[in-house]
C-alpha cells in the first residue's frame, strides 16, 4: 500500500524526513528533465495561488511550476476576493475546494493559513507567513544537497533576525539530520524550544559551518520597527570577515530579496561562495516536486 500524502504543507513538519529527502531527489529529476519530466502530473487540474503580500520568487516559481506540471495556475490577490470584505476563511475554503486541486497561500496571519488547511478539502501549502516559510526551506535543502552531496551532519549557521525563514530552516534541517545554529541579538532570537543551537555570537554560530545564511532585518509586516531593527541587528551582518570564520568551503545563502549593506555585503552576496541564485532557482524544482506529491 502506498503511503497517503499529507493534506497540508503549512509548517513543513507535516512531511517526515525520509519524504523530504525523496522530494529533494525528485526535485533534482524534475530539474534535469525540465520541462518535459512531470509534464502530465497535474493533468489540467487548477491550483489557486493566493497572495496577500508581495512576492517575486514564490509567486512566479509556483505559477511556472503548476504550468510545467500540466496544471492551471490561478494567481489571486486576496484584495480581489470577498475575503477582503469579510467573507470567512471557512466559506472561502469550502468554495475553493469545489474548484481547485490545491491552495497555495501567502498571508500575514499564520492562524488564517492553519484554519484554511483545516477547512479545505484540498491540500493547502504555506507560501510564507510571519512564522514559517517551508517552501523556501525545501529549496534550501536541495541547494545544500547539490553543493555537498548529502545533508546529514551538515552545519548551517543562520545570522540575523530569528524570523520565518530561520524557523523553517531549523525545522527542515532537523528533519534530515543537519544542524542549525542561529545567532541573533536579544529580542530577535527563535523560541528556546526551536530545533537549533541559539546564541547571540555570530562567530560562535559560524565556526565549523558548511553554510552561512541570512535574511532581511525588516520582514514584510515589520516596517513600523524598521529603524530600531537596523540598529539592533547591526552586528549581525554576513561580510567577508564572518565568512572567513566558517569552513573554507562554506557557501553563503540568502532567501532574497536582499538588502546589500544591511544583512549582507554586496561582495559576499555576489561573490563566488554565494549559493543564493541556485536557491532562487531551486524554488521552482522543489515546489514542483511538492505539488506533484500532494496532488498527483
Ligand atoms: N524568497 C522569497 O520567498 O521571495 P519572494 O518574496 O520574492 O517570493
Ligand atoms: N523574512 C522575509 C522573507 C521574504 C521572502 C519576510 O517575511 O518578509
Amino acid at each position: 500500500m502506498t503511503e497517503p500524502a499529507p493534506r497540508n504543507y503549512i509548517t513543513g513538519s507535516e512531511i517526515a524526513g525520509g519524504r523530504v529527502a525523496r522530494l529533494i531527489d525528485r526535485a533534482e529529476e524534475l530539474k534535469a528533465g525540465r520541462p518535459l519530466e512531470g509534464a502530465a502530473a497535474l493533468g489540467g487540474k487548477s491550483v489557486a495561488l493566493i497572495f496577500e503580500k508581495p512576492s517575486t520568487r514564490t509567486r512566479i516559481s509556483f505559477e511556472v511550476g503548476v504550468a510545467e506540471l500540466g496544471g492551471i495556475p490561478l494567481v489571486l490577490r486576496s484584495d480581489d476576493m470577498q475575503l477582503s470584505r469579510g467573507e470567512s476563511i471557512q466559506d472561502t475554503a469550502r468554495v475553493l475546494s469545489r474548484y481547485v486541486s490545491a491552495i497555495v497561500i501567502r498571508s500575514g496571519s499564520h492562524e488564517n493559513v492553519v484554519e484554511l488547511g483545516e477547512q479545505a478539502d484540498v491540500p493547502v501549502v504555506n507560501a510564507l507567513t510571519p512564522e514559517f516559510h517551508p517552501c523556501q526551506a525545501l529549496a534550501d535543502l536541495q541547494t545544500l544537497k547539490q553543493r555537498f552531496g548529502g545533508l546529514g551532519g551538515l552545519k548551517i549557521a543562520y545570522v540575523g533576525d530569528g524570523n520565518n525563514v530561520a524557523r523553517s530552516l531549523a525545522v527542515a534541517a532537523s528533519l534530515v539530520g543537519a544542524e542549525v545554529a542561529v545567532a541573533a541579538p536579544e529580542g530577535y532570537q527563535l523560541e528556546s524550544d526551536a530545533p537549533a543551537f541559539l546564541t547571540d555570537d555570530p562567530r560562535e554560530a559560524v565556526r565549523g559551518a558548511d553554510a552561512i545564511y541570512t535574511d532581511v532585518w525588516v520582514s514584510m509586516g515589520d516596517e513600523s520597527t524598521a529603524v530600531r531593527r537596523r540598529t539592533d541587528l547591526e552586528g549581525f551582518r554576513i561580510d567577508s570577515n564572518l565568512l572567513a570564520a566558517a569552513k573554507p568551503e562554506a557557501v553563503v545563502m540568502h532567501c532574497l530579496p536582499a538588502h546589500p549593506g544591511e544583512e549582507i555585503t554586496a561582495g559576499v552576496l555576489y561573490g563566488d561562495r554565494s549559493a543564493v541564485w541556485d536557491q532562487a532557482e531551486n524554488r521552482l524544482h522543489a515546489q514542483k516536486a511538492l505539488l506533484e506529491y500532494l496532488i498527483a
Side-chain angles (χ1 to χ4, degrees):
M1 213 177 79
T2 53
E3 157 211 359
R7 261 265 299 282
N8 300 318
Y9 188 65
I10 292 175
T11 67
S13 45
E14 297 85 355
I15 296 183
R19 172 58 61 182
V20 170
R22 290 200 290 283
L23 284 179
I24 291 168
D25 290 344
R26 180 63 183 147
E28 285 293 294
E29 285 172 11
L30 289 163
K31 175 181 163 160
R34 193 179 169 212
L36 293 180
E37 180 68 28
L42 298 191
K45 291 177 179 165
S46 297
V47 178
L49 308 174
I50 304 176
F51 282 83
E52 281 177 18
K53 296 177 174 190
S55 169
T56 296
R57 282 141 289 269
T58 310
R59 203 215 88 186
I60 297 169
S61 58
F62 265 113
E63 192 169 353
V64 170
V66 171
E68 287 188 0
L69 292 173
I72 300 162
L74 306 173
V75 178
L76 305 163
R77 289 275 328 170
S78 54
D79 10 321
D80 294 336
M81 298 172 66
Q82 297 286 9
L83 264 177
S84 64
R85 294 181 58 250
E87 186 168 20
S88 68
I89 307 262
Q90 181 181 10
D91 292 1
T92 304
R94 287 183 178 209
V95 171
L96 288 184
S97 298
R98 301 283 178 112
Y99 301 136
V100 302
S101 296
I103 303 168
V104 175
I105 179 164
R106 170 169 289 194
S107 174
S109 163
H110 188 73
E111 294 69 32
N112 285 357
V113 175
V114 171
E115 189 185 344
L116 188 66
E118 285 164 359
Q119 300 290 341
D121 297 328
V122 296
V124 169
V125 174
N126 178 357
L128 183 146
T129 62
E131 278 75 32
F132 290 97
H133 196 3
C135 294
Q136 179 68 51
L138 203 54
D140 296 339
L141 293 183
Q142 185 186 357
T143 307
L144 287 165
K145 177 135 192 241
Q146 288 169 348
R147 296 287 172 135
F148 297 103
L151 295 167
L154 285 184
K155 185 172 172 203
I156 307 159
Y158 178 97
V159 175
D161 183 21
N163 61 15
N164 45 5
V165 168
R167 186 173 294 105
S168 281
L169 182 69
V171 169
S174 72
L175 292 173
V176 297
E179 283 173 38
V180 172
V182 178
E186 201 187 328
Y188 294 84
Q189 187 52 278
L190 292 181
E191 318 61 51
S192 58
D193 60 353
F197 170 76
L198 309 182
T199 173
D200 61 3
D201 179 357
R203 296 187 83 84
E204 182 183 24
V206 306
R207 200 175 303 127
D210 299 288
I212 66 175
Y213 199 126
T214 192
D215 182 20
V216 290
W217 290 344
V218 183
S219 284
M220 292 179 276
D222 290 335
E223 291 79 5
S224 65
T225 53
V227 173
R228 194 176 76 228
R229 288 174 155 272
R230 290 192 179 102
T231 305
D232 292 347
L233 287 153
E234 176 59 32
F236 293 79
R237 172 181 297 115
I238 296 188
D239 59 15
S240 53
N241 285 333
L242 194 63
L243 180 55
K247 280 189 183 165
E249 65 275 20
V251 298
V252 173
M253 302 180 78
H254 192 309
C255 60
L256 300 175
H259 290 80
E262 289 192 13
E263 76 279 359
I264 191 166
T265 59
V268 169
L269 176 66
Y270 300 108
D272 57 10
R273 312 265 296 273
S274 173
V276 168
W277 318 105
D278 290 338
Q279 284 177 265
E281 176 185 330
N282 288 331
R283 297 294 305 278
L284 172 67
H285 312 305
Q287 288 158 195
K288 283 172 73 177
L290 179 68
L291 290 173
E292 192 183 60
Y293 172 55
L294 292 177
I295 306 171

